[in-house]
Amino acid sequence: MSEPLEFAVTLYPEPVLRKTAEVVTAFDDELEETVEAMYRLMFESQGVGLAAPQVSIRRRILVMNEEGDKEKPELNLTLINPKIVERTGDKTLMEEGCLSFPGIFAEIARPEDCVVEAVDLKGQPLRLEMTGFLSRVLQHEYDHLEGVLLVDRMSPADRLRNKVALQEMIEDYKERQAQI
Ligand code: CO
């Protein structure tokens, strides 16, 4: 048996985070292994959601567990090729973080509810109506597939408040590049 896949979180401002992810067409073992490795990393990182671009894979794959609790696999939600077909309800503000922006938080305005269509790991279609926190997580993760990041949705005030931390992330990235 081959070694299990192991990913690390891709950090801002890696360019892959800005790319639009591509539609998944092969529902094979590799997809399954990718998803499993994404769950492992999400739980290790104490996240509630992870999108494939955050492990430098440009494909439309999301994993979520709204409690971030690996002891509750019944909450695991794997969405392949998701599409938000409806966003409704008032826009509400909620503080969001992102594994690609460790230590950075911002109040982001998003519609309360959404409807998502996707397929599961086997390619079976799903249609889910989401509200509250789950809808919030989904909308955040979905943004990753479009190359949209927390920093894009921040208010000017939050961007200013996080300016130094964001600048440090850019500096760290440049240093990592210089070492390659
Ligand atoms: Co994120």
Side-chain angles (χ1 to χ4, degrees):
M1 237 178 88
S2 56
E3 290 283 301
L5 278 177
E6 206 176 312
F7 295 136
V9 178
T10 301
L11 299 174
Y12 174 81
E14 288 279 352
V16 65
L17 294 171
R18 289 299 190 188
K19 301 268 175 21
T20 304
E22 285 163 11
V23 170
V24 172
T25 52
F27 294 81
D28 53 10
D29 289 350
E30 193 208 337
L31 178 65
E32 211 162 303
E33 285 162 23
T34 299
V35 164
E36 280 171 19
M38 285 174 66
Y39 275 114
R40 280 196 296 276
L41 180 62
M42 181 186 80
F43 290 126
E44 274 166 26
S45 312
Q46 298 181 308
V48 291
L50 191 68
Q54 293 182 280
V55 294
S56 299
I57 293 177
R58 279 184 63 189
R59 283 194 281 165
R60 304 184 81 81
I61 306 170
L62 302 181
V63 300
M64 297 163 54
N65 179 302
E66 63 177 311
E67 293 187 20
D69 187 346
K70 70 172 175 211
E71 307 302 325
K72 294 185 180 169
E74 67 276 15
L75 297 179
N76 287 0
L77 190 54
T78 306
L79 299 177
I80 312 294
N81 301 334
K83 192 166 185 193
I84 297 178
V85 293
E86 220 179 290
R87 298 182 200 242
T88 52
D90 294 336
K91 276 201 173 184
T92 54
L93 279 172
M94 198 184 282
E95 190 177 70
E96 294 183 19
C98 178
L99 294 178
S100 296
F101 292 82
I104 292 177
F105 298 92
E107 298 251 302
I108 309 289
R110 297 188 193 272
E112 182 88 32
D113 313 309
C114 67
V115 178
V116 62
E117 291 178 354
V119 294
D120 67 13
L121 260 182
K122 306 283 177 212
Q124 296 301 311
L126 298 168
R127 181 184 164 94
L128 300 164
E129 291 176 21
M130 294 185 173
T131 189
F133 187 62
L134 191 61
S135 164
R136 171 65 58 160
V137 176
L138 185 272
Q139 291 181 65
H140 174 110
E141 298 310 329
Y142 183 81
D143 271 353
H144 279 294
L145 303 181
E146 299 295 309
V148 174
L149 299 174
L150 194 62
V151 68
D152 308 320
R153 299 230 184 247
M154 279 182 194
S155 66
D158 271 333
R159 201 169 298 127
L160 196 61
R161 195 169 54 77
N162 286 301
K163 193 177 171 190
V164 172
L166 289 166
Q167 197 53 47
E168 274 173 11
M169 292 199 73
I170 293 169
E171 294 303 323
D172 288 348
Y173 168 72
K174 285 184 188 159
E175 255 169 57
R176 286 196 303 278
Q177 291 306 103
Q179 282 161 10
I180 292 169

